[in-house]
Structure formats: C-alpha cells, structure tokens
Amino acid sequence: MITETQPSFGLPYISAIGYNSKNHFYAIKRAIKNLDMIDKKVLGIIDLEWISTDTYLEVLNPLSSATYGD
C-alpha cells in the first residue's frame, strides 16, 4: 500500500506501471463477483467498473498529504 484515502464512491483502483491493467482489472472484478452479499456489504464493495485514464483525470481532486508536491 502506498497511501490510504478516505472511503468514497467511485474510488479508483490504480495498478502499478507495467502491469497488464485489463487482466488485473478482470481478476479483481471476478473476485468481487464471487463474494457473497454479506461480505460485499461488510467491505462496502458492490462492483468494479472500468473507466479510461482520460476520464479519470478529468476529475479534479484536492491535494492531500499523500500527493502534496507531486
């Protein structure tokens, strides 16, 4: 883990540079799909959706201590 963020709707999952992000994404999506409803509720996870990098970067986020100086 690099940093921890406050829980929020639509929080992105960002993989490491060089990873096959599509394969990683679908592996996580399958894992979430296979959770039972109680575990999904406890974890606060319903599903995982793919969005493009450009779409994600269109949303301005306030600086935090984790990103200050980037």
Side-chain angles (χ1 to χ4, degrees):
M1 180 187 311
I2 296 172
T3 187
E4 184 177 352
T5 60
Q6 294 298 318
S8 64
F9 296 101
L11 185 64
Y13 179 85
I14 303 171
S15 63
I17 294 173
Y19 255 47
N20 183 323
S21 55
K22 285 282 189 177
N23 286 346
H24 204 182
F25 169 81
Y26 285 111
I28 294 168
K29 188 165 179 79
R30 274 192 312 274
I32 291 170
K33 182 180 177 185
N34 290 328
L35 290 172
D36 64 43
M37 191 52 71
I38 293 171
D39 288 336
K40 287 180 183 181
K41 286 183 179 182
V42 168
L43 294 170
I45 298 172
I46 297 169
D47 199 0
L48 187 67
E49 294 296 323
W50 180 269
I51 60 170
S52 70
T53 302
D54 292 337
T55 300
Y56 172 71
L57 293 175
E58 286 177 1
V59 178
L60 297 176
N61 293 299
L63 292 176
S64 72
S65 60
T67 59
Y68 185 76
D70 287 356

